[in-house]
Amino acid sequence: MIERTHLRILRELERKGSVTAAADALNLTQSALSHTVKKLESMIGGPLWVKDGRGVRLTQAGHYLLKEAKRVLPQLERIDETLLQFAQHEQGSLNIGMECHPCYQWLLKVVSPFLSQFPNVDLDVKQSFQFGGMAALFNHDIDLLVTPDPLHRPGVTFEPVFSYELVLVVGATHPLHSLNHVEPQALVNEVLLTYPVDVDRLDIFQQFLLPANCRPKKHKTLEATEILLQMVASNRGVTALPRWLVEQTADTLPIRPLRLGQEGIYKHIHLGRRDDDQNSPLVQSFFDIAKSITF
């Protein structure tokens, strides 16, 4: 029933003081404005204003509509402006989901040039999902999913953007520190520190320990990478992290990376996006920057 034109008429009528001046401000003829108002009045069952000398006086319905016009029109105008900025790629938002705890240092290297390229675009990173990262992607809660373990489903495309080696991290004075690589049996008497992730999603278990029917003496979880590495440096346990992350920290902490098995375990960070977003300039630019990052 109510259209933006009706709200603008009431606003201009208050600003200009007469129906004729309001019509001029809206680039309408007086008859066109009057016709629009009479049509609305017939729908609401009463007048919006009455003549008062040379001017008009708003009715109760007119005052109410004017109050709402002052509230609603600025919001609609901001929406118009924002949508125009979206179309011109001057504004927007990009929500990134993370299923890779140790990937934040890598992500920071991607985020910095992205924000420089899109100064008016908001960026948010989410790590907690009610029903998992894939559900968040399908439900449009996030625009991109960062994961080392992509689940390929129709409607979503994953691309590898960064490769890394998963290594065992031990303290510099740990009994294993002098080895070039470790076998699964070497961890049966160790305290294994990991992020708080289900065991079936931890590569150190799924690709290294469990295939050899081995388990650590104890398994503890920690949220923060910095605390996890401090614990390892203090010989309070061992952990598995990307080699590049360990090498970045080895200058400040007494830790050492060891290859997992003779062949090592190699992984990729993948970026996932919905297929209907493949032409999004924001998404594509993030992909391009992510592929260019090296350590």
Side-chain angles (χ1 to χ4, degrees), residues 65-183:
L65 195 59
L66 174 61
K67 181 184 72 173
E68 293 303 305
K70 291 179 177 179
R71 180 180 65 86
V72 172
L73 284 175
Q75 297 178 15
L76 294 175
E77 287 158 0
R78 283 195 295 272
I79 291 173
D80 289 340
E81 182 181 355
T82 301
L83 289 175
L84 179 61
Q85 291 174 332
F86 285 160
Q88 297 173 347
H89 315 310
E90 295 176 355
Q91 183 168 320
S93 63
L94 192 69
N95 295 305
I96 301 170
M98 290 283 289
E99 286 188 336
C100 179
H101 281 76
C103 293
Y104 273 101
Q105 294 300 319
W106 169 84
L107 182 63
L108 290 175
K109 284 183 170 286
V110 182
V111 166
S112 180
F114 177 84
L115 293 178
S116 296
Q117 185 175 343
F118 297 97
N120 294 318
V121 171
D122 293 328
L123 188 144
D124 190 19
V125 178
K126 301 179 180 181
Q127 197 164 359
S128 297
F129 312 109
Q130 185 175 2
F131 301 110
M134 286 294 289
L137 193 58
F138 276 115
N139 292 336
H140 291 253
D141 295 325
I142 57 175
D143 303 302
L144 292 170
L145 180 62
V146 181
T147 179
D149 301 302
L151 297 174
H152 297 283
R153 297 287 187 271
V156 171
T157 298
F158 283 94
E159 291 185 35
V161 293
F162 182 71
S163 61
Y164 65 93
E165 180 187 1
L166 186 71
V167 296
L168 186 74
V169 191
V170 301
T173 60
H174 190 279
L176 300 175
H177 84 279
S178 61
L179 300 178
N180 290 321
H181 74 274
V182 292
E183 297 296 337

Side-chain angles (χ1 to χ4, degrees), residues 4 11 22 29 36 39 44 72 75 97 110 129 179 184 216 220 234 237 241 247 265 287 292:
R4 190 184 300 198
R11 186 174 66 176
T29 64
T36 299
K39 186 176 179 180
I44 65 175
V72 172
Q75 297 178 15
V110 182
F129 312 109
L179 300 178
K220 292 184 177 180
S234 300
L241 290 172
E247 291 177 345
I265 296 177
F287 263 77
S292 69

Side-chain angles (χ1 to χ4, degrees), residues 1-4 6 36 39-45 65:
M1 182 183 291
I2 298 296
E3 300 176 5
R4 190 184 300 198
H6 301 138
T36 299
K39 186 176 179 180
L40 176 61
E41 289 176 334
S42 67
M43 288 189 288
I44 65 175
L65 195 59

